[in-house]
């Protein structure tokens, strides 16, 4: 078993916030950033360090959350922060956690719990840095959290498509044209499901959306206190890349959950718990049609009824046919089901 983190000072009592009124008022990501108006990823950074508190080291790979947050002479970070290379969030997290542990073991640093969080974008994490994240999640002796903020494009370099860009979206690499309306025909990677299913030593994997702030912060706290390496995937509406009025960020986050496109869950020691409106869907509540989410965004403005129908079918399949709805995409044949019943 990984070492359990024991918290001995006031700043490291990371119990769940029991409701919005119990949330601490101190901020560790404040003014001084230059993200777009309505940028949900900036809110994710703010909530992430609010949850982890002052005894935190944040490591960030290249992307909007590096560039827009560390313009020369200005930064919103109150906690120690370091930039790391685009595909290196995994190795940065592991190296920092290992370094702290070694210094404490040798008596060169006071032995105390320090949170190590490495964040990455979808380009840096789900595409370029997948190998490093995967390796880190196998090192159960080191406590660290990798948080992937997913704005569904390489946003900082002007909205190129990534392996997390949704089917059909208009990006600078997939502009709809007269001959080919849909350029991007690949379905999005299932990052959290892949991390949960493929890393049996990783005790905690969760999905979050900042539209549900308290839930999100509590998942960060759980990830930091359970022991060993952990992973969180956050879906972040991005007004620039998704092309919508910035005032809609919160609503789009909610719609991603309510349509069933992005399920909220956590996997702790192999046990799955669904959250909020996702849980309601699992318990039988109807999902909203995906068109309500897609047609609020300019990146899908070229969609025809046929495209909307295809998108809806794929999401229906995720709920009706997957082995674990919304999480694990394996399908069992009737013969295999009968055989396992014995
Ligand atoms: C090895 C490498 N290749 C390309 C770049 C250029 N680059 C800087 S930020 C960025 C986009 C990163 O996308 P993502 O990780 O999704 O973060 P976002 O910008 O969307 O926040 C790219 C391609 C780089 N910094 N390093
Ligand atoms: S492009 Fe998107 S992710 Fe980047 S700062 Fe703007 S809203 Fe945030
Ligand atoms: Mg991105």
């Amino acid at each position: 078993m990984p070492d359990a983190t024991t918290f001995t000072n006031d700043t490291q009592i990371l119990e769940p916030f029991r409701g919005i009124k119990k949330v601490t008022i101190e901020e560790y990501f404040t003014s001084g950033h230059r993200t777009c108006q309505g940028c949900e990823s900036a809110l994710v950074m703010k909530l992430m360090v609010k949850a982890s508190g002052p005894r935190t080291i944040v490591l960030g790979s290249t992307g909007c959350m590096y560039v827009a947050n560390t313009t020369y002479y200005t930064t919103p970070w109150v906690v120690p922060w370091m930039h790391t290379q685009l595909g290196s969030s995994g190795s940065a997290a592991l190296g920092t956690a290992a370094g702290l542990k070694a210094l404490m073991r040798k008596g060169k640093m006071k032995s105390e719990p320090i949170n190590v969080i490495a964040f990455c974008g979808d380009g840096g994490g789900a595409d370029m840095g997948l190998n490093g994240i995967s390796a880190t999640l196998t090192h159960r002796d080191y406590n660290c959290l990798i948080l992937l903020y997913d704005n569904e494009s390489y946003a900082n370099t002007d909205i190129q498509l990534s392996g997390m860009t949704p089917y059909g979206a208009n990006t600078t690499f997939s502009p709809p044209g007269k001959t080919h309306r849909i350029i991007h025909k690949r379905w999005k990677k299932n990052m959290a499901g892949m991390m949960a299913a493929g890393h049996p030593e990783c005790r905690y994997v969760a999905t979050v959306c900042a539209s549900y702030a308290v839930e999100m912060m509590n998942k960060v706290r759980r990830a930091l206190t359970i022991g060993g390496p952990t992973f969180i995937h956050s879906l972040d509406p991005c007004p620039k890349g998704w092309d919508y009025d910035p005032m809609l960020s919160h609503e789009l986050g909610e719609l991603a959950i309510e349509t069933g496109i992005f399920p909220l869950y956590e996997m702790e020691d192999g046990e799955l718990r669904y959250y909020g409106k996702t849980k309601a869907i699992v318990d039988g509540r109807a999902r909203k049609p995906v068109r309500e989410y897609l047609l609020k965004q300019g990146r899908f403005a070229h969609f025809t009824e046929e495209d909307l129908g295809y998108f809806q079918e794929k999401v229906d399949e995720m709920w009706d046919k997957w082995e674990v709805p919304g999480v694990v995409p394996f399908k069992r044949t009737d013969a295999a089901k009968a055989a396992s019943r014995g």
Side-chain angles (χ1 to χ4, degrees), residues 61-65 67 85-87 120-125 128 149 151 153-157 160 162:
S61 62
T62 326
C64 281
M65 290 306 105
V67 178
Q85 196 270 342
L86 184 48
C120 52
D122 47 303
M128 297 170 72
Y149 70 93
N151 51 25
S153 79
Y154 289 77
N156 181 61
T157 38
Q160 290 84 33
S162 78

Side-chain angles (χ1 to χ4, degrees), residues 290-291 294-295 303-312:
V290 297
R291 64 191 306 132
L294 299 177
L295 295 182
F303 265 32
T304 61
E305 284 302 318
E306 187 191 347
D307 305 326
L308 292 166
Y310 176 75
F311 208 108
Q312 184 69 62

Side-chain angles (χ1 to χ4, degrees), residues 14 17 46-53 217-218 220-221 224:
L14 300 182
F17 296 118
K46 180 182 159 92
L47 297 174
M48 176 185 87
V49 277
K50 201 175 186 35
S52 66
M217 287 189 283
N218 286 343
V220 168
R221 288 190 151 198
L224 289 170

Side-chain angles (χ1 to χ4, degrees), residues 34-42 64-65 68 149 151 155-156 159 237-241:
R34 297 187 181 183
T35 64
C36 309
Q37 187 182 23
C39 173
E40 203 75 345
S41 297
C64 281
M65 290 306 105
Y149 70 93
N151 51 25
N156 181 61
I159 324 294
C238 159
K240 181 180 170 200

